[in-house]
Amino acid sequence: MLTLTNTYARFLQKNPNFFAKENLDLFFQKVLVERNSQLSGYYDLPFAKNEAIFDYLQRNKTFLDSISNVIIIGIGGSSLGTKAIDALLSHQSHRKKIKLRFLEHTDPIIIRKDLQRVKYEDTLFIVISKSGLTIETTSLFKYILARFSLLKKERKKHLLTITDENSPLFKWSKSEEIESVTIKPNIGGRFSVLSAVGLLPLAILGYDIAAILKGASIVSHRFFEECKDNVLKKALFLARNESNYPINVLFSYSSVFRHFNAWYVQLWGESLGKLDMYEQRRGLTPIALIGSIDQHSFLQLIMQGPANKTVTFLSVKNLSQKPLYIPNIRLQGLESTDFVNQTSFNQLLKLQCISTKESIISQNVPVDSILIDSLNEQSVGALVLYYELLTSCVGILLQIDTYNQPGVEFGKKILREKFTHS
């Protein structure tokens, strides 16, 4: 499902006791304490029954079979995870022919463009917010309500909210007799994709959400029950080398990872950029790249710029069941490119990844790799939980609260004050 490797050998030659068993055991106990404290409910999501999701799907089957658009109104953790998983799995034949759109930007140009041809009759609008008080989401929600007159009794079935239990949005939904599915308050937005926030829209699109959770549960079981230490070792390396390697580059070898990269940047940046318990600024800066495109841009900085980066290569062993081949065509003056003729594009991308990785390793840049056998629900669920666990582990070592976002809340406070005093 996921194959994990790293090239920390050169570092370990100088620090042979860095991954000593007693260090890893002590670290693992800290992770157990956090999980059992219920500080974050995402640890339990791979094993949730999700009765509310399946109940909604069953009760509304006829209506859901009739729609051709799903529009998600939400921002950040309310949209990025769903967008990422759909992009990774949209090649699958059982994905329904429903157009998935996201209203997450308050740019009026984008709002008009995204809603230009939308009719409420064949659309389900899903409002996703933990409280309903996020300004971007609430403002867009109000616009949708007014534009499509969704509070008319016969149109309310076109509206669904996903929110915290007993949140202001849930209470509003109940008062207006709008369908609402809730999540636990201790599940933060950026850790919520394996809850109803992500799973319900994905199920509507036809994905096997049980398989997504199965992949996540396998990673959880290997970590907590079988004590596989891959995640612990990577987290320990990154956190203890925070000052030497403050930048973490995710180099994903397929354009289908573009939205996953955006999810990673939010998860990593918003979770780990914090003041620690001693009021010291901590954090590891995420950079997300797409191979082979960014071999012609950012790679130069990795190769000969400041030696302050680690690089993770993310790739898929089998990207396509139907290979595409480079034709055996000779073009006058371009003969130097003929060495790839009759090669599949999958093989070309694979060798580009390997070549780039070897070139970076030659510059003594710390590298690790994640190889996915094939993109399916189970492997994607595994990948999501792997990154969530890694983020939590690094946060524990940095001695921060991984699950809050006081810097973001400070910006919201200033915005509110500007409107109040204007």
mmCIF file of all heavy atoms in Angstrom, residues 51-90:
data_model
loop_
_atom_site.group_PDB
_atom_site.id
_atom_site.type_symbol
_atom_site.label_atom_id
_atom_site.label_comp_id
_atom_site.label_asym_id
_atom_site.label_seq_id
_atom_site.Cartn_x
_atom_site.Cartn_y
_atom_site.Cartn_z
ATOM 1 N N GLU A 51 -22.829 6.141 11.201
ATOM 2 C CA GLU A 51 -24.248 5.868 10.965
ATOM 3 C C GLU A 51 -24.970 7.067 10.357
ATOM 4 O O GLU A 51 -25.835 6.909 9.475
ATOM 5 C CB GLU A 51 -24.940 5.478 12.280
ATOM 6 C CG GLU A 51 -24.525 4.128 12.819
ATOM 7 C CD GLU A 51 -23.427 4.243 13.865
ATOM 8 O OE1 GLU A 51 -22.733 5.287 13.866
ATOM 9 O OE2 GLU A 51 -23.269 3.299 14.654
ATOM 10 N N ALA A 52 -24.619 8.287 10.807
ATOM 11 C CA ALA A 52 -25.317 9.481 10.321
ATOM 12 C C ALA A 52 -25.107 9.675 8.820
ATOM 13 O O ALA A 52 -26.016 10.114 8.108
ATOM 14 C CB ALA A 52 -24.845 10.711 11.086
ATOM 15 N N ILE A 53 -23.902 9.353 8.337
ATOM 16 C CA ILE A 53 -23.611 9.477 6.906
ATOM 17 C C ILE A 53 -24.479 8.507 6.105
ATOM 18 O O ILE A 53 -25.157 8.894 5.135
ATOM 19 C CB ILE A 53 -22.121 9.221 6.620
ATOM 20 C CG1 ILE A 53 -21.259 10.319 7.246
ATOM 21 C CG2 ILE A 53 -21.871 9.127 5.114
ATOM 22 C CD1 ILE A 53 -19.772 10.106 7.081
ATOM 23 N N PHE A 54 -24.460 7.246 6.510
ATOM 24 C CA PHE A 54 -25.203 6.235 5.746
ATOM 25 C C PHE A 54 -26.715 6.453 5.870
ATOM 26 O O PHE A 54 -27.462 6.164 4.922
ATOM 27 C CB PHE A 54 -24.801 4.836 6.209
ATOM 28 C CG PHE A 54 -23.389 4.483 5.855
ATOM 29 C CD1 PHE A 54 -22.412 4.364 6.828
ATOM 30 C CD2 PHE A 54 -23.018 4.292 4.528
ATOM 31 C CE1 PHE A 54 -21.102 4.043 6.496
ATOM 32 C CE2 PHE A 54 -21.712 3.972 4.178
ATOM 33 C CZ PHE A 54 -20.755 3.852 5.172
ATOM 34 N N ASP A 55 -27.152 6.980 7.005
ATOM 35 C CA ASP A 55 -28.565 7.290 7.168
ATOM 36 C C ASP A 55 -28.990 8.394 6.195
ATOM 37 O O ASP A 55 -30.033 8.295 5.530
ATOM 38 C CB ASP A 55 -28.839 7.732 8.604
ATOM 39 C CG ASP A 55 -30.292 8.104 8.830
ATOM 40 O OD1 ASP A 55 -31.169 7.265 8.584
ATOM 41 O OD2 ASP A 55 -30.548 9.257 9.243
ATOM 42 N N TYR A 56 -28.174 9.444 6.080
ATOM 43 C CA TYR A 56 -28.481 10.530 5.141
ATOM 44 C C TYR A 56 -28.511 10.006 3.705
ATOM 45 O O TYR A 56 -29.416 10.336 2.928
ATOM 46 C CB TYR A 56 -27.457 11.652 5.275
ATOM 47 C CG TYR A 56 -27.647 12.745 4.228
ATOM 48 C CD1 TYR A 56 -28.573 13.762 4.421
ATOM 49 C CD2 TYR A 56 -26.915 12.732 3.040
ATOM 50 C CE1 TYR A 56 -28.784 14.740 3.453
ATOM 51 C CE2 TYR A 56 -27.117 13.699 2.068
ATOM 52 C CZ TYR A 56 -28.043 14.704 2.281
ATOM 53 O OH TYR A 56 -28.245 15.666 1.317
ATOM 54 N N LEU A 57 -27.530 9.190 3.345
ATOM 55 C CA LEU A 57 -27.463 8.657 1.977
ATOM 56 C C LEU A 57 -28.679 7.809 1.649
ATOM 57 O O LEU A 57 -29.244 7.896 0.547
ATOM 58 C CB LEU A 57 -26.185 7.827 1.810
ATOM 59 C CG LEU A 57 -24.848 8.576 1.909
ATOM 60 C CD1 LEU A 57 -23.696 7.586 1.905
ATOM 61 C CD2 LEU A 57 -24.693 9.575 0.778
ATOM 62 N N GLN A 58 -29.101 6.985 2.594
ATOM 63 C CA GLN A 58 -30.238 6.099 2.351
ATOM 64 C C GLN A 58 -31.544 6.877 2.248
ATOM 65 O O GLN A 58 -32.354 6.638 1.341
ATOM 66 C CB GLN A 58 -30.321 5.065 3.471
ATOM 67 C CG GLN A 58 -31.410 4.033 3.255
ATOM 68 C CD GLN A 58 -31.380 2.942 4.311
ATOM 69 O OE1 GLN A 58 -30.578 2.973 5.228
ATOM 70 N NE2 GLN A 58 -32.268 1.968 4.185
ATOM 71 N N ARG A 59 -31.767 7.824 3.165
ATOM 72 C CA ARG A 59 -33.019 8.585 3.170
ATOM 73 C C ARG A 59 -33.159 9.490 1.948
ATOM 74 O O ARG A 59 -34.268 9.824 1.528
ATOM 75 C CB ARG A 59 -33.101 9.427 4.450
ATOM 76 C CG ARG A 59 -33.459 8.638 5.698
ATOM 77 C CD ARG A 59 -33.705 9.545 6.891
ATOM 78 N NE ARG A 59 -32.503 10.248 7.304
ATOM 79 C CZ ARG A 59 -32.230 11.517 7.037
ATOM 80 N NH1 ARG A 59 -33.071 12.239 6.302
ATOM 81 N NH2 ARG A 59 -31.119 12.086 7.483
ATOM 82 N N ASN A 60 -32.033 9.904 1.383
ATOM 83 C CA ASN A 60 -32.067 10.866 0.279
ATOM 84 C C ASN A 60 -31.589 10.265 -1.042
ATOM 85 O O ASN A 60 -31.172 10.998 -1.934
ATOM 86 C CB ASN A 60 -31.212 12.089 0.632
ATOM 87 C CG ASN A 60 -31.768 12.868 1.801
ATOM 88 O OD1 ASN A 60 -32.675 13.669 1.651
ATOM 89 N ND2 ASN A 60 -31.219 12.619 2.996
ATOM 90 N N LYS A 61 -31.650 8.944 -1.149
ATOM 91 C CA LYS A 61 -31.090 8.272 -2.328
ATOM 92 C C LYS A 61 -31.706 8.777 -3.634
ATOM 93 O O LYS A 61 -30.987 9.081 -4.595
ATOM 94 C CB LYS A 61 -31.288 6.760 -2.217
ATOM 95 C CG LYS A 61 -30.640 5.987 -3.370
ATOM 96 C CD LYS A 61 -30.821 4.496 -3.221
ATOM 97 C CE LYS A 61 -30.048 3.746 -4.308
ATOM 98 N NZ LYS A 61 -30.367 4.192 -5.676
ATOM 99 N N THR A 62 -33.029 8.881 -3.687
ATOM 100 C CA THR A 62 -33.691 9.312 -4.924
ATOM 101 C C THR A 62 -33.244 10.715 -5.316
ATOM 102 O O THR A 62 -32.923 10.982 -6.489
ATOM 103 C CB THR A 62 -35.217 9.277 -4.755
ATOM 104 O OG1 THR A 62 -35.615 7.937 -4.421
ATOM 105 C CG2 THR A 62 -35.899 9.705 -6.043
ATOM 106 N N PHE A 63 -33.195 11.613 -4.336
ATOM 107 C CA PHE A 63 -32.760 12.979 -4.616
ATOM 108 C C PHE A 63 -31.301 13.011 -5.069
ATOM 109 O O PHE A 63 -30.961 13.676 -6.059
ATOM 110 C CB PHE A 63 -32.944 13.841 -3.364
ATOM 111 C CG PHE A 63 -32.235 15.169 -3.430
ATOM 112 C CD1 PHE A 63 -32.612 16.144 -4.350
ATOM 113 C CD2 PHE A 63 -31.170 15.448 -2.585
ATOM 114 C CE1 PHE A 63 -31.954 17.361 -4.419
ATOM 115 C CE2 PHE A 63 -30.501 16.665 -2.646
ATOM 116 C CZ PHE A 63 -30.897 17.612 -3.566
ATOM 117 N N LEU A 64 -30.427 12.288 -4.375
ATOM 118 C CA LEU A 64 -28.997 12.304 -4.704
ATOM 119 C C LEU A 64 -28.730 11.697 -6.074
ATOM 120 O O LEU A 64 -27.773 12.086 -6.753
ATOM 121 C CB LEU A 64 -28.200 11.570 -3.623
ATOM 122 C CG LEU A 64 -28.200 12.228 -2.230
ATOM 123 C CD1 LEU A 64 -27.484 11.348 -1.211
ATOM 124 C CD2 LEU A 64 -27.545 13.606 -2.287
ATOM 125 N N ASP A 65 -29.553 10.760 -6.484
ATOM 126 C CA ASP A 65 -29.401 10.178 -7.819
ATOM 127 C C ASP A 65 -29.795 11.168 -8.918
ATOM 128 O O ASP A 65 -29.433 10.982 -10.080
ATOM 129 C CB ASP A 65 -30.256 8.920 -7.951
ATOM 130 C CG ASP A 65 -29.675 7.736 -7.208
ATOM 131 O OD1 ASP A 65 -28.469 7.790 -6.866
ATOM 132 O OD2 ASP A 65 -30.415 6.773 -6.942
ATOM 133 N N SER A 66 -30.516 12.223 -8.539
ATOM 134 C CA SER A 66 -31.019 13.169 -9.539
ATOM 135 C C SER A 66 -30.118 14.383 -9.741
ATOM 136 O O SER A 66 -30.300 15.138 -10.702
ATOM 137 C CB SER A 66 -32.403 13.672 -9.117
ATOM 138 O OG SER A 66 -32.319 14.562 -8.010
ATOM 139 N N ILE A 67 -29.126 14.587 -8.850
ATOM 140 C CA ILE A 67 -28.325 15.810 -8.936
ATOM 141 C C ILE A 67 -27.134 15.624 -9.870
ATOM 142 O O ILE A 67 -26.657 14.508 -10.097
ATOM 143 C CB ILE A 67 -27.821 16.270 -7.549
ATOM 144 C CG1 ILE A 67 -26.890 15.209 -6.933
ATOM 145 C CG2 ILE A 67 -28.988 16.563 -6.619
ATOM 146 C CD1 ILE A 67 -26.216 15.664 -5.648
ATOM 147 N N SER A 68 -26.656 16.732 -10.409
ATOM 148 C CA SER A 68 -25.460 16.707 -11.259
ATOM 149 C C SER A 68 -24.380 17.656 -10.746
ATOM 150 O O SER A 68 -23.298 17.719 -11.327
ATOM 151 C CB SER A 68 -25.832 17.069 -12.703
ATOM 152 O OG SER A 68 -26.524 18.304 -12.752
ATOM 153 N N ASN A 69 -24.687 18.377 -9.667
ATOM 154 C CA ASN A 69 -23.704 19.288 -9.070
ATOM 155 C C ASN A 69 -23.709 19.158 -7.545
ATOM 156 O O ASN A 69 -24.778 19.083 -6.933
ATOM 157 C CB ASN A 69 -24.026 20.752 -9.396
ATOM 158 C CG ASN A 69 -23.849 21.077 -10.856
ATOM 159 O OD1 ASN A 69 -22.738 21.101 -11.370
ATOM 160 N ND2 ASN A 69 -24.960 21.333 -11.527
ATOM 161 N N VAL A 70 -22.523 19.152 -6.974
ATOM 162 C CA VAL A 70 -22.356 19.331 -5.530
ATOM 163 C C VAL A 70 -21.465 20.544 -5.337
ATOM 164 O O VAL A 70 -20.362 20.606 -5.899
ATOM 165 C CB VAL A 70 -21.725 18.095 -4.853
ATOM 166 C CG1 VAL A 70 -21.309 18.423 -3.413
ATOM 167 C CG2 VAL A 70 -22.696 16.929 -4.850
ATOM 168 N N ILE A 71 -21.957 21.521 -4.593
ATOM 169 C CA ILE A 71 -21.170 22.721 -4.313
ATOM 170 C C ILE A 71 -20.893 22.775 -2.821
ATOM 171 O O ILE A 71 -21.821 22.824 -2.005
ATOM 172 C CB ILE A 71 -21.897 23.994 -4.777
ATOM 173 C CG1 ILE A 71 -22.059 23.965 -6.288
ATOM 174 C CG2 ILE A 71 -21.134 25.245 -4.342
ATOM 175 C CD1 ILE A 71 -22.748 25.188 -6.874
ATOM 176 N N ILE A 72 -19.621 22.737 -2.469
ATOM 177 C CA ILE A 72 -19.217 22.805 -1.066
ATOM 178 C C ILE A 72 -18.864 24.242 -0.724
ATOM 179 O O ILE A 72 -18.020 24.863 -1.376
ATOM 180 C CB ILE A 72 -18.036 21.863 -0.789
ATOM 181 C CG1 ILE A 72 -18.503 20.402 -0.915
ATOM 182 C CG2 ILE A 72 -17.444 22.122 0.597
ATOM 183 C CD1 ILE A 72 -17.424 19.382 -0.699
ATOM 184 N N ILE A 73 -19.517 24.748 0.293
ATOM 185 C CA ILE A 73 -19.249 26.101 0.789
ATOM 186 C C ILE A 73 -18.453 25.948 2.071
ATOM 187 O O ILE A 73 -18.985 25.559 3.117
ATOM 188 C CB ILE A 73 -20.568 26.866 1.041
ATOM 189 C CG1 ILE A 73 -21.427 26.855 -0.225
ATOM 190 C CG2 ILE A 73 -20.287 28.293 1.496
ATOM 191 C CD1 ILE A 73 -22.873 27.212 0.028
ATOM 192 N N GLY A 74 -17.173 26.216 2.004
ATOM 193 C CA GLY A 74 -16.290 26.040 3.156
ATOM 194 C C GLY A 74 -14.885 26.419 2.766
ATOM 195 O O GLY A 74 -14.570 26.558 1.576
ATOM 196 N N ILE A 75 -14.032 26.571 3.745
ATOM 197 C CA ILE A 75 -12.667 27.024 3.474
ATOM 198 C C ILE A 75 -11.676 26.235 4.321
ATOM 199 O O ILE A 75 -12.019 25.725 5.389
ATOM 200 C CB ILE A 75 -12.541 28.547 3.758
ATOM 201 C CG1 ILE A 75 -11.239 29.119 3.178
ATOM 202 C CG2 ILE A 75 -12.680 28.849 5.246
ATOM 203 C CD1 ILE A 75 -11.182 30.635 3.216
ATOM 204 N N GLY A 76 -10.439 26.122 3.844
ATOM 205 C CA GLY A 76 -9.388 25.451 4.608
ATOM 206 C C GLY A 76 -9.696 23.986 4.819
ATOM 207 O O GLY A 76 -9.941 23.230 3.876
ATOM 208 N N GLY A 77 -9.720 23.570 6.096
ATOM 209 C CA GLY A 77 -9.968 22.178 6.418
ATOM 210 C C GLY A 77 -11.336 21.683 6.012
ATOM 211 O O GLY A 77 -11.559 20.470 5.911
ATOM 212 N N SER A 78 -12.252 22.588 5.742
ATOM 213 C CA SER A 78 -13.597 22.195 5.310
ATOM 214 C C SER A 78 -13.662 21.827 3.837
ATOM 215 O O SER A 78 -14.677 21.291 3.380
ATOM 216 C CB SER A 78 -14.588 23.338 5.590
ATOM 217 O OG SER A 78 -14.662 23.614 6.972
ATOM 218 N N SER A 79 -12.619 22.141 3.082
ATOM 219 C CA SER A 79 -12.664 21.884 1.645
ATOM 220 C C SER A 79 -11.418 21.184 1.103
ATOM 221 O O SER A 79 -11.522 20.361 0.188
ATOM 222 C CB SER A 79 -12.854 23.208 0.884
ATOM 223 O OG SER A 79 -11.769 24.089 1.112
ATOM 224 N N LEU A 80 -10.245 21.493 1.652
ATOM 225 C CA LEU A 80 -8.996 21.026 1.038
ATOM 226 C C LEU A 80 -8.874 19.506 1.002
ATOM 227 O O LEU A 80 -8.408 18.933 0.016
ATOM 228 C CB LEU A 80 -7.796 21.628 1.773
ATOM 229 C CG LEU A 80 -7.549 23.121 1.552
ATOM 230 C CD1 LEU A 80 -6.425 23.602 2.465
ATOM 231 C CD2 LEU A 80 -7.214 23.406 0.104
ATOM 232 N N GLY A 81 -9.269 18.831 2.081
ATOM 233 C CA GLY A 81 -9.132 17.377 2.128
ATOM 234 C C GLY A 81 -10.020 16.680 1.117
ATOM 235 O O GLY A 81 -9.590 15.752 0.427
ATOM 236 N N THR A 82 -11.275 17.115 1.028
ATOM 237 C CA THR A 82 -12.204 16.532 0.063
ATOM 238 C C THR A 82 -11.710 16.762 -1.358
ATOM 239 O O THR A 82 -11.745 15.863 -2.209
ATOM 240 C CB THR A 82 -13.599 17.149 0.234
ATOM 241 O OG1 THR A 82 -14.022 16.979 1.585
ATOM 242 C CG2 THR A 82 -14.595 16.511 -0.701
ATOM 243 N N LYS A 83 -11.257 17.972 -1.617
ATOM 244 C CA LYS A 83 -10.737 18.308 -2.939
ATOM 245 C C LYS A 83 -9.534 17.431 -3.286
ATOM 246 O O LYS A 83 -9.398 16.941 -4.424
ATOM 247 C CB LYS A 83 -10.333 19.785 -2.971
ATOM 248 C CG LYS A 83 -10.016 20.330 -4.347
ATOM 249 C CD LYS A 83 -9.499 21.758 -4.270
ATOM 250 C CE LYS A 83 -10.511 22.720 -3.713
ATOM 251 N NZ LYS A 83 -10.026 24.126 -3.755
ATOM 252 N N ALA A 84 -8.667 17.195 -2.305
ATOM 253 C CA ALA A 84 -7.468 16.383 -2.521
ATOM 254 C C ALA A 84 -7.818 14.947 -2.854
ATOM 255 O O ALA A 84 -7.298 14.357 -3.815
ATOM 256 C CB ALA A 84 -6.570 16.441 -1.283
ATOM 257 N N ILE A 85 -8.712 14.343 -2.072
ATOM 258 C CA ILE A 85 -9.057 12.939 -2.284
ATOM 259 C C ILE A 85 -9.795 12.748 -3.602
ATOM 260 O O ILE A 85 -9.542 11.788 -4.346
ATOM 261 C CB ILE A 85 -9.872 12.395 -1.094
ATOM 262 C CG1 ILE A 85 -8.980 12.321 0.157
ATOM 263 C CG2 ILE A 85 -10.442 11.014 -1.419
ATOM 264 C CD1 ILE A 85 -9.686 11.823 1.399
ATOM 265 N N ASP A 86 -10.692 13.660 -3.930
ATOM 266 C CA ASP A 86 -11.394 13.544 -5.211
ATOM 267 C C ASP A 86 -10.424 13.633 -6.383
ATOM 268 O O ASP A 86 -10.541 12.884 -7.362
ATOM 269 C CB ASP A 86 -12.467 14.628 -5.333
ATOM 270 C CG ASP A 86 -13.258 14.512 -6.622
ATOM 271 O OD1 ASP A 86 -13.719 13.396 -6.940
ATOM 272 O OD2 ASP A 86 -13.409 15.527 -7.328
ATOM 273 N N ALA A 87 -9.444 14.531 -6.285
ATOM 274 C CA ALA A 87 -8.455 14.655 -7.369
ATOM 275 C C ALA A 87 -7.630 13.372 -7.519
ATOM 276 O O ALA A 87 -7.292 12.962 -8.631
ATOM 277 C CB ALA A 87 -7.542 15.848 -7.101
ATOM 278 N N LEU A 88 -7.327 12.722 -6.402
ATOM 279 C CA LEU A 88 -6.525 11.499 -6.438
ATOM 280 C C LEU A 88 -7.308 10.304 -6.977
ATOM 281 O O LEU A 88 -6.726 9.375 -7.547
ATOM 282 C CB LEU A 88 -6.005 11.174 -5.040
ATOM 283 C CG LEU A 88 -4.943 12.129 -4.471
ATOM 284 C CD1 LEU A 88 -4.652 11.803 -3.012
ATOM 285 C CD2 LEU A 88 -3.653 12.063 -5.286
ATOM 286 N N LEU A 89 -8.630 10.322 -6.813
ATOM 287 C CA LEU A 89 -9.435 9.143 -7.141
ATOM 288 C C LEU A 89 -10.380 9.343 -8.317
ATOM 289 O O LEU A 89 -11.077 8.404 -8.718
ATOM 290 C CB LEU A 89 -10.263 8.729 -5.913
ATOM 291 C CG LEU A 89 -9.475 8.290 -4.678
ATOM 292 C CD1 LEU A 89 -10.429 7.999 -3.521
ATOM 293 C CD2 LEU A 89 -8.608 7.073 -4.975
ATOM 294 N N SER A 90 -10.420 10.531 -8.902
ATOM 295 C CA SER A 90 -11.438 10.840 -9.920
ATOM 296 C C SER A 90 -11.303 10.009 -11.191
ATOM 297 O O SER A 90 -12.223 9.972 -12.013
ATOM 298 C CB SER A 90 -11.403 12.329 -10.272
ATOM 299 O OG SER A 90 -10.149 12.687 -10.828
#
